[in-house]
Amino acid sequence: MSGDKRREQILQTAFDLFSHRGFSGTTTKDIAKSAGVSEAMVFKHFSSKDELYGALVEAKTCNEGFRKYPWEENEAVMTAMEAKDDFGVFYHFALKALNKHQEDIAFMRMIFFSALEGHEIADRFFQTFVGEIYNFLGGYIKTRQKDKVFRKIDPRIIVRAFLGMMIHHSLNNILWDKKRTLLDIPNEEAAKNFAEIILQGVAVQEG
Amino acid sequence: MSGDKRREQILQTAFDLFSHRGFSGTTTKDIAKSAGVSEAMVFKHFSSKDELYGALVEAKTCNEGFRKYPWEENEAVMTAMEAKDDFGVFYHFALKALNKHQEDIAFMRMIFFSALEGHEIADRFFQTFVGEIYNFLGGYIKTRQKDKVFRKIDPRIIVRAFLGMMIHHSLNNILWDKKRTLLDIPNEEAAKNFAEIILQGVAVQEG
DNA sequence: GTCTATATGACGATAGAC
DNA sequence: GTCTATCGTCATATAGAC
């Protein structure tokens, strides 16, 4: 196998293991074995376990998956936003996010492990990626507040409440309620309910 | 030091370290050193690292801290519930939970680490403790739906949305946004806003 | 109840052959 | 590009003295 191809394969294997067991719970021997190579090969491509992990998180946060925000490649959100279709904005945003979480459980686990284990790369991810989401949704909320459609609440609180519903729901499914004994609903229904609750919750009330 | 006292001290020390670095990130040597004893002492009290961890999670989930639900020792929630003061119920519940999370960061971290690392004790905690919360809040929500004050949404979705706001908010503060750069508000304000959003969000609308 | 010393193996990482 | 062999260190756990 070529160097680049092998490197990618080791990265992917390492990703699966790190996301499952965390940094200190994964050994270089495990990685080598799963990748079907010797440990020496791993250290030919990455000078240390730390470097391997760093390259991994870097690749996964910057190049793939979560480089795309839930509104990119999601025409529905942008269209709804231009039309000031509030339900469309929040529903499609939530649905995209929930689907993404479900498809990329390994990534979610890796980010949580990084955060718990205190790798500063997790910090950077949150300051950029999550910060950007606060700006994006917060901006729309501000507009709708000026339109006197949403109540005057700190937009960041609304974003936090809304993201909280989605992320907590995904986290429940990934970490604890894998069999969905507590609440087993399709993402469409969850997105619809979350969007309805938040929208009615922040709407200006008549009278 | 007496055996029991020493045992407790080792447990507490281990708790601090495990919650900070996770199971595989913590060594028995670290624990011994932090407790100010030799490693041999640790193994006199606990036959293995696994047993120590098990005893720890058991003690922390069953005997202390989270044995108490957010409505126990919280007269405000029960009083509000009897008076059908919806805002009182949700506000005081949220405030209690947020304060608890903030006071017991170590416990929160330990539970998340356990869940990620797949210790089945975390599962048990969630099925009992969290399940009980769903019953408690869900029961109240059902009552208010019969009163035609809350809309007909699956009560578990409402509980999930509400818990999501709180837990996500606490998790943000604990894991990523420790400096609170994104959103720095007192628990009272967060609880008030979350309660208002969820209540208005699920209220029966006029017309 | 507490320690020092040590057994046994795992872990991260390297050397050097092919 | 890949391997086997190995090194030094650290980890869990035990033995036995005080």
Side-chain angles (χ1 to χ4, degrees):
Chain A
M1 193 181 284
S2 77
D4 282 4
K5 206 100 175 88
R6 179 66 78 194
R7 188 189 154 94
E8 283 311 305
Q9 185 223 0
I10 292 171
L11 269 178
Q12 185 56 44
T13 307
F15 175 59
D16 295 340
L17 289 172
F18 280 134
S19 73
H20 196 229
R21 309 186 204 163
F23 182 78
S24 48
T26 304
T27 68
T28 50
K29 193 189 285 286
D30 290 338
I31 296 168
K33 196 177 169 191
S34 291
V37 294
S38 68
E39 259 188 286
M41 271 307 294
V42 174
F43 286 102
K44 284 277 186 225
H45 286 283
F46 304 95
S47 67
S48 70
K49 186 185 171 185
D50 268 296
E51 197 204 277
L52 168 56
Y53 189 75
L56 180 61
V57 180
E58 191 77 12
K60 291 292 172 182
T61 55
C62 299
N63 306 329
E64 300 174 32
F66 275 71
R67 184 194 47 173
K68 298 285 183 200
Y69 295 99
W71 57 87
E72 290 186 88
E73 294 183 343
N74 190 346
E75 202 58 39
V77 171
M78 301 311 291
T79 308
M81 204 167 258
E82 277 159 36
K84 294 198 175 177
D85 164 18
D86 296 326
F87 179 78
V89 172
F90 283 81
Y91 170 74
H92 288 294
F93 187 97
L95 183 57
K96 182 82 175 187
L98 292 176
N99 284 338
K100 215 163 168 181
H101 297 164
Q102 196 168 30
E103 284 159 20
D104 220 345
I105 291 177
F107 181 83
M108 297 283 286
R109 291 182 57 94
M110 187 192 71
I111 281 291
F112 271 88
F113 256 125
S114 300
L116 274 171
E117 290 179 324
H119 303 277
E120 81 277 342
I121 267 169
D123 282 9
R124 237 189 308 155
F125 171 74
F126 275 91
Q127 265 152 38
T128 59
F129 184 79
V130 179
E132 203 52 48
I133 290 180
Y134 274 76
N135 290 337
F136 180 79
L137 280 182
Y140 182 74
I141 290 167
K142 268 179 209 152
T143 306
R144 300 304 276 157
Q145 285 176 331
K146 278 190 195 128
D147 296 340
K148 307 228 188 273
V149 175
F150 289 180
R151 285 190 284 132
K152 282 229 164 302
I153 313 172
D154 186 333
R156 297 169 304 167
I157 293 180
I158 300 177
V159 175
R160 178 145 303 179
F162 184 54
L163 289 186
M165 297 177 191
M166 298 181 300
I167 295 176
H168 176 71
H169 181 61
S170 294
L171 219 52
N172 250 282
N173 293 335
I174 292 172
L175 287 187
W176 306 299
D177 197 19
K178 290 166 207 161
K179 306 278 184 62
R180 314 276 165 84
T181 51
L182 216 52
L183 177 59
D184 190 8
I185 53 171
N187 289 343
E188 283 78 10
E189 196 184 335
K192 175 172 170 290
N193 279 292
F194 292 158
E196 280 173 0
I197 290 173
I198 199 79
L199 284 175
Q200 185 176 311
V202 303
V204 168
Q205 296 290 288
E206 310 287 318
Chain B
M1 194 182 283
S2 78
D4 282 4
K5 207 100 174 88
R6 179 64 80 193
R7 188 188 152 94
E8 283 311 305
Q9 186 223 357
I10 292 171
L11 268 177
Q12 184 57 42
T13 307
F15 174 59
D16 295 340
L17 290 172
F18 281 134
S19 72
H20 196 231
R21 308 184 202 166
F23 181 77
S24 46
T26 303
T27 68
T28 50
K29 192 190 285 286
D30 290 339
I31 296 168
K33 195 178 168 190
S34 291
V37 294
S38 67
E39 265 189 278
M41 271 306 294
V42 174
F43 286 103
K44 284 276 186 226
H45 286 283
F46 305 94
S47 67
S48 71
K49 187 184 169 185
D50 268 295
E51 197 205 277
L52 167 56
Y53 189 75
L56 179 60
V57 180
E58 190 78 12
K60 290 292 172 182
T61 55
C62 299
N63 306 330
E64 301 173 33
F66 275 71
R67 184 193 47 171
K68 299 286 183 197
Y69 295 99
W71 57 87
E72 290 186 87
E73 294 184 345
N74 189 346
E75 202 58 40
V77 171
M78 301 311 290
T79 308
M81 204 168 257
E82 276 159 36
K84 295 198 176 178
D85 163 19
D86 297 326
F87 179 78
V89 172
F90 283 82
Y91 171 74
H92 289 294
F93 187 96
L95 183 58
K96 181 82 175 186
L98 292 176
N99 284 338
K100 214 164 168 180
H101 296 164
Q102 196 168 30
E103 284 159 19
D104 220 345
I105 291 176
F107 182 84
M108 297 283 285
R109 291 182 57 95
M110 187 192 71
I111 282 291
F112 271 87
F113 256 125
S114 302
L116 274 170
E117 290 178 325
H119 303 278
E120 80 277 341
I121 267 169
D123 282 9
R124 238 189 307 155
F125 170 74
F126 275 90
Q127 265 152 37
T128 57
F129 183 79
V130 179
E132 203 51 49
I133 290 180
Y134 274 77
N135 289 337
F136 179 78
L137 279 182
Y140 181 74
I141 290 167
K142 269 179 207 149
T143 307
R144 299 304 275 157
Q145 286 176 330
K146 279 191 195 126
D147 295 341
K148 307 229 188 271
V149 174
F150 288 180
R151 283 190 285 133
K152 282 228 163 303
I153 312 173
D154 186 332
R156 297 169 305 168
I157 293 180
I158 301 177
V159 175
R160 177 145 303 179
F162 185 54
L163 289 186
M165 297 178 191
M166 297 182 301
I167 294 175
H168 177 71
H169 182 62
S170 293
L171 218 53
N172 250 282
N173 293 336
I174 293 171
L175 287 187
W176 306 298
D177 197 19
K178 290 166 206 160
K179 306 277 184 62
R180 311 277 217 284
T181 52
L182 217 53
L183 177 58
D184 189 9
I185 52 170
N187 289 343
E188 284 77 10
E189 196 183 334
K192 174 173 170 289
N193 280 292
F194 292 158
E196 281 173 0
I197 290 173
I198 199 79
L199 284 175
Q200 186 176 313
V202 304
V204 169
Q205 295 290 287
E206 311 287 317

